[in-house]
Amino acid sequence: MTALPPPPVAAEPDLRRPRPGERSVGPPPSDDRPLAQPAARDQSLGQPPARDRYFDLLRALALSRVVLYHLTGWAWLPVLFPSMGVMFALAGTLMARSLKRPAVPVIRGRIRRLLPPLWLLGAIGVTGMAAQGWGPDTEGHPGWWWQHLTYWALPLSDPPYAKEVAGVPGLLGESWPEELAGPLWYLRAYLWFVLLSPLMLRGLRRLPWATLLAPLVLAVVLRLDLVTTTDRLDSAITDFSTFGACWALGMAHQEGLLKRLPAYAVPSLAPLVAGAGLGWAVHEGFRDGFDLDTIPLAQALWSFGCVLLLLHHSPSWTAWPRRLRPFDRPVTLLNSRAVTVYLWHNVCILAAATLYDRLWSVDALGEHVPWLLESWIPVLALTWVLIALCVLAFGWAEDLAARRRPRLWPDGRRR
């Protein structure tokens, strides 16, 4: 399972939809800015709260890593940076801060910010699949098809997609519906975490350690096959067991629970937990070609340990350190359009690979620079160009969801 706003929004060339237990990263959507520690002081002075640029940097790194991972399929990338655990932790932090207000309007606001980008994706994707022959008879029962189609409107479960279509010659292969629907598992998982957050926050305040460790215990129970469920329910439970502890860690960070631990506790314990996850991954066949994202228990332990260290460090930058200032605009843009980047990146990878492969028809290139045609670097560059076009074409849906004036290129530059 991998690990995109927060759907704060976390992924194939391994151009395929993640198998059961395999996940891509995603961005959690957020109606709140990640605040630095001095935020309360800023608000008391009547100033807008400062963004926590450290959290912004983590989210941008997570999105960039998932694009690279889904293009190259390098198994070591989820080990280098556990994007999904990081993204769920950031989302949990923001959710805990928001829940200082009444829970019902907070949940309603989160769902509202999640759905318009999904609806836009579904309107384009479902229309395209229907135009290529996908319809009510696909699943063998028209009633099931119509029922499951509602998950494109409210992703309480994974939305359906066409298994066999013609594709778009020269642009998209036959697998484009899989690539389109692949990232949607994250929106479904994020939605359930949002709905469960009031209960999780209450548990953290009363039984902090039991709440933090409960998802990890559930991951062990699932690995021992002590519980059997349907496929759809199994996906939701597996996602909770894998990333629920990271979400809870983010909430605990916001509540100040982690600061109550002795200074030596986190640096001492977190590497042990992460090491246990990596050891289990090796035991399960990590060295034989299976990556961390296909081993839920290993992913849960590794992500928990790494996220615990990242939150323990948490410098809470209200302004960029000097060496990172050149990255201000791209990081701001990625955070402002995290959901759009996450939802469309798989299709962009597929289109970029298809377009670049057409250069093999140029005999001179195949004879003189075959190494260039085999390189992943130009495909990555083309992928980001296509992602930028998607930001321009579809990013306004995030502004619409946030009830703010649509912006074409929100990189933070003053105009």
Side-chain angles (χ1 to χ4, degrees):
M1 166 180 308
T2 77
L4 185 306
V9 75
E12 337 180 19
D14 183 12
L15 299 175
R16 53 177 171 75
R17 184 173 190 245
R19 300 170 184 169
E22 195 173 355
R23 294 294 181 260
S24 59
V25 68
S30 167
D31 58 348
D32 295 303
R33 293 181 176 182
L35 297 186
Q37 294 302 320
R41 179 183 59 196
D42 293 343
Q43 288 178 314
S44 67
L45 297 175
Q47 300 174 356
R51 292 193 68 102
D52 188 331
R53 305 306 277 173
Y54 176 68
F55 280 5
D56 286 348
L57 178 63
L58 290 180
R59 186 175 294 109
L61 288 174
L63 286 170
S64 301
R65 194 233 74 179
V66 76
V67 173
L68 180 61
Y69 170 65
H70 285 169
L71 175 64
T72 62
W74 292 335
W76 52 268
L77 282 173
V79 178
L80 178 65
F81 191 77
S83 294
M84 283 312 309
V86 169
M87 295 308 300
F88 279 118
L90 297 182
T93 298
L94 296 178
M95 192 65 190
R97 194 192 69 190
S98 297
L99 285 174
K100 294 177 181 178
R101 307 191 300 270
V104 172
V106 169
I107 293 174
R108 185 170 59 242
R110 295 283 173 170
I111 295 175
R112 186 196 73 236
R113 295 177 65 89
L114 175 72
L115 295 182
L118 171 64
W119 292 342
L120 179 59
L121 180 79
I124 296 173
V126 172
T127 300
M129 288 185 284
Q132 295 192 336
W134 187 55
D137 294 332
T138 302
E139 297 187 47
H141 192 290
W144 296 343
W145 187 85
W146 287 107
Q147 176 186 342
H148 295 165
L149 203 62
T150 60
Y151 295 135
W152 282 98
L154 186 64
L156 293 173
S157 186
D158 294 323
Y161 61 92
K163 300 298 192 299
E164 296 180 2
V165 295
V168 182
L171 181 62
L172 294 174
E174 297 178 357
S175 65
W176 74 264
E178 294 180 90
E179 308 306 325
L180 186 80
L184 299 185
W185 77 269
Y186 177 80
L187 273 68
R188 182 253 302 150
Y190 177 86
L191 176 60
W192 279 109
F193 278 127
V194 166
L195 295 174
L196 293 171
S197 284
L199 181 62
M200 295 176 68
L201 185 58
R202 184 178 303 176
L204 276 172
R205 290 170 176 171
R206 295 184 178 181
L207 299 169
W209 283 108
T211 304
L212 280 173
L213 298 179
L216 300 179
V217 173
L218 179 59
V220 174
V221 170
L222 293 178
R223 177 60 186 85
L224 296 176
D225 295 325
L226 299 179
V227 177
T228 58
T229 60
T230 63
D231 289 341
R232 286 187 177 274
L233 187 58
D234 180 69
S235 296
I237 294 176
T238 300
D239 293 338
F240 179 84
S241 70
T242 305
F243 301 112
C246 292
W247 185 281
L249 271 178
M251 302 185 86
H253 173 74
Q254 175 61 31
E255 290 290 292
L257 297 178
L258 300 183
K259 294 181 180 179
R260 301 175 191 173
L261 298 175
Y264 62 85
V266 170
S268 301
L269 295 177
L272 296 178
V273 177
L278 198 58
W280 183 257
V282 173
H283 172 75
E284 290 287 288
F286 181 71
R287 291 177 176 174
D288 298 328
F290 295 98
D291 61 37
L292 193 65
D293 296 336
T294 63
I295 310 171
L297 178 57
Q299 176 73 286
L301 294 171
W302 177 256
S303 296
F304 184 88
C306 292
V307 166
L308 188 57
L309 285 174
L310 290 171
L311 293 180
H312 175 74
H313 172 65
S314 192
S316 296
W317 297 327
T318 56
W320 287 110
R322 183 189 309 175
R323 294 182 180 181
L324 295 177
R325 289 174 189 170
F327 300 99
D328 175 57
R329 289 184 183 175
V331 169
T332 300
L333 179 64
L334 282 174
N335 278 268
S336 300
R337 291 293 181 258
V339 179
T340 301
V341 172
Y342 176 70
L343 287 178
W344 291 94
H345 78 275
N346 264 11
V347 175
C348 291
I349 290 174
L350 178 62
T354 303
L355 291 171
Y356 196 71
D357 281 347
R358 298 179 67 178
L359 294 179
W360 283 101
S361 62
V362 181
D363 294 337
L365 293 178
E367 293 177 3
H368 299 292
V369 286
W371 56 269
L372 181 61
L373 299 182
E374 295 171 354
S375 174
W376 57 269
I377 296 177
V379 181
L380 178 64
L382 182 56
T383 295
W384 280 108
V385 170
L386 295 178
I387 289 175
L389 294 177
C390 288
V391 167
L392 293 172
F394 310 125
W396 55 268
E398 293 193 58
D399 293 327
L400 180 66
R403 295 179 177 175
R404 58 177 177 245
R405 181 174 58 85
R407 297 167 294 171
L408 199 63
W409 195 256
D411 61 355
R413 183 178 60 177
R414 295 182 179 180
R415 292 175 174 82

